[in-house]
Amino acid sequence: MRHLCFGQEWLLYVVTVCLAVGFAIAGLYALSVAGDMRKLPLQRLVMIAIVGLYSIRVIVGIDWLLHEFSYLRFFSSLVPALLVYCYFPGLRREMQVK
C-alpha cells in the first residue's frame, strides 16, 4: 500500500477510509436488494457497477495468476469471485422486479 500511495503516509489513511466507505455502501445496497431495508436510490445502477467492478477485479486476478501463480494472488482473486457470485442473484432479482 505504501508503494501505491507514493510513500505518502497520510494517503494511506485516505485510501483506507475510502475503501471502508465503499464496502459499507456496497453492503447497504446488498441489504436493500435483499429486502432487509428500504429501497435505496439508483439501486439497479449501483448493483450493475458493483458486479462490474468485482468482475473486472476477477479478470485482472486471473491474468495475474496466469503470469505468476501465488496463493496470495489466488485468494485475492477468489474473494471477489465469491462476491460476484453473491451479488449477481440480487442483480437478477432487481431485473425481474421491474
Side-chain angles (χ1 to χ4, degrees):
M1 285 289 286
R2 185 166 298 190
H3 177 71
L4 292 174
C5 293
F6 309 109
Q8 301 294 325
E9 194 75 28
W10 63 271
L11 196 52
L12 286 170
Y13 297 108
V14 172
V15 168
T16 302
V17 168
C18 289
L19 285 172
V21 168
F23 284 126
I25 290 171
L28 288 174
Y29 273 92
L31 289 172
S32 177
V33 170
D36 292 338
M37 53 183 288
R38 67 178 181 86
K39 187 174 178 181
L40 295 173
L42 301 172
Q43 187 166 310
R44 180 167 155 68
L45 181 66
V46 172
M47 290 300 292
I48 290 171
I50 290 170
V51 169
L53 287 173
Y54 282 137
S55 297
I56 290 170
R57 174 60 183 91
V58 170
I59 292 168
V60 169
I62 290 171
D63 184 50
W64 284 349
L65 288 172
L66 292 175
H67 293 299
E68 182 182 344
F69 182 84
S70 72
Y71 284 105
L72 178 63
R73 288 183 180 175
F74 174 71
F75 286 112
S76 69
S77 299
L78 182 64
V79 170
L82 292 173
L83 289 172
V84 168
Y85 179 74
C86 291
Y87 275 90
F88 193 70
L91 180 62
R92 289 189 53 180
R93 177 178 172 197
E94 181 67 19
M95 291 170 57
Q96 291 173 352
V97 169
K98 289 191 175 199

